[in-house]
């Protein structure tokens, strides 16, 4: 932690030192500064803020899956059958229920443009997709939890695995989880609508 802070702060101190040394040309006679001390300090503060902002942004990028936006708590409604809300249960099973339960509330967070993660608010589990096309809840976020979010022409959203292309999150007409490798993006079983209220 200390080494990380030093690596973030050191370039800023070098920048400050360089500014002080180069502020007066070599061989020039010492004169009264033309600019006021307030202007110099304002300029230094501005340079320091820019450096710290860039350093913090680089630091965030060192995480394998940095979160770009704060998580949004919502429901995911699938229009298949009588309509089901996706839920992640504490045992890791994923399915749908017509009337939302406490396990239906999900946190959606953006990883990068078009890629999101989904976490159950009550279960605390992340939604992941296996290579076999099955969705399940896990405690640790991994590459299998990266989902491509695509807005379809009918204004519903599909979620497919980033690690396993062609595998979609899908529910059956009875609200059971469907194998994601046996469905396509144009089927109603893969169409979800984010909702803030039941």
């Amino acid at each position: 932690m200390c080494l990380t802070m030093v690596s973030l702060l050191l370039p800023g101190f070098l920048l400050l030192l360089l500014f002080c040394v180069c502020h007066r040309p070599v061989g020039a006679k010492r004169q009264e500064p033309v600019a006021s001390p307030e202007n110099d300090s304002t300029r230094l503060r501005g340079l320091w803020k820019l450096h710290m902002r860039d350093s913090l942004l680089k630091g965030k990028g060192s995480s394998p899956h940095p979160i770009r936006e704060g998580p949004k708590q919502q429901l995911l409604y699938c229009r298949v059958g009588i309509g089901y809300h996706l839920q992640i249960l504490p045992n890791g099973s994923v399915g749908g229920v017509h009337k939302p339960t406490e396990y239906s509330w999900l946190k959606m967070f953006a990883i990068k443009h078009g890629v999101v993660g989904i976490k159950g608010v009550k279960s605390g589990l992340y939604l992941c997709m296996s290579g076999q096309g099955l969705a399940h809840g896990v405690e640790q976020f991994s590459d299998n939890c990266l989902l491509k979010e695509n807005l379809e022409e009918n204004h519903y959203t599909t979620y497919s695995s980033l690690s396993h292309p062609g595998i979609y999150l899908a529910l059956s007409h009875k609200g059971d989880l469907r194998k994601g490798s046996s469905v396509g993006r144009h089927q109603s079983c893969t169409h979800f609508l984010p909702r803030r209220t039941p």
Side-chain angles (χ1 to χ4, degrees), residues 15-81:
L15 181 66
L16 181 62
L17 181 62
L18 182 64
F19 177 82
C20 292
V21 170
C22 298
H23 189 64
R24 185 168 53 96
V26 177
K29 292 182 180 178
R30 185 173 181 86
Q31 298 176 353
E32 291 299 318
V34 177
S36 68
E38 290 79 11
N39 289 340
D40 285 344
S41 62
T42 302
R43 184 176 174 194
L44 282 174
R45 275 197 302 272
L47 289 171
W48 178 255
K49 285 179 182 177
L50 284 174
H51 165 72
M52 290 306 296
R53 184 197 64 187
D54 292 342
S55 298
L56 289 173
L57 287 175
K58 287 177 185 174
K60 288 179 182 178
S62 62
S63 170
H65 305 295
I67 297 173
R68 293 183 66 193
E69 298 174 8
K72 300 172 183 176
Q73 186 171 309
Q74 60 191 22
L75 301 167
L76 271 185
Y77 173 80
C78 183
R79 71 188 194 117
V80 70

Side-chain angles (χ1 to χ4, degrees), residues 18-196:
L18 182 64
F19 177 82
C20 292
V21 170
C22 298
H23 189 64
R24 185 168 53 96
V26 177
K29 292 182 180 178
R30 185 173 181 86
Q31 298 176 353
E32 291 299 318
V34 177
S36 68
E38 290 79 11
N39 289 340
D40 285 344
S41 62
T42 302
R43 184 176 174 194
L44 282 174
R45 275 197 302 272
L47 289 171
W48 178 255
K49 285 179 182 177
L50 284 174
H51 165 72
M52 290 306 296
R53 184 197 64 187
D54 292 342
S55 298
L56 289 173
L57 287 175
K58 287 177 185 174
K60 288 179 182 178
S62 62
S63 170
H65 305 295
I67 297 173
R68 293 183 66 193
E69 298 174 8
K72 300 172 183 176
Q73 186 171 309
Q74 60 191 22
L75 301 167
L76 271 185
Y77 173 80
C78 183
R79 71 188 194 117
V80 70
I82 61 172
Y84 296 95
H85 293 87
L86 189 74
Q87 64 178 2
I88 305 174
L89 298 177
N91 64 3
S93 64
V94 176
V97 61
H98 181 62
K99 187 177 180 181
T101 69
E102 59 185 348
Y103 297 106
S104 301
W105 287 99
L106 308 169
K107 286 184 180 179
M108 308 281 293
F109 51 93
I111 302 298
K112 59 182 181 180
H113 182 70
V115 178
V116 299
I118 299 175
K119 184 179 183 180
V121 174
K122 181 69 174 177
S123 67
L125 301 178
Y126 295 98
L127 179 71
C128 289
M129 302 287 289
S130 70
Q132 291 72 41
L134 296 176
H136 57 283
V138 297
E139 292 182 0
Q140 297 295 323
F141 194 85
S142 68
D143 288 345
N144 287 334
C145 303
L146 296 172
L147 301 172
K148 287 175 66 178
E149 183 180 49
N150 192 60
L151 183 63
E152 303 297 337
E153 293 177 359
N154 61 2
H155 303 293
Y156 279 83
T157 303
T158 56
Y159 298 92
S160 60
S161 173
L162 187 67
S163 300
H164 311 290
I167 294 180
Y168 286 84
L169 180 63
L171 296 177
S172 73
H173 281 77
K174 294 183 179 179
D176 299 321
L177 183 69
R178 283 195 66 174
K179 197 170 183 180
S181 55
S182 64
V183 295
R185 62 183 287 187
H186 299 295
Q187 294 177 254
S188 61
C189 62
T190 64
H191 292 182
F192 291 87
L193 187 66
R195 302 173 68 188
R196 294 298 176 89

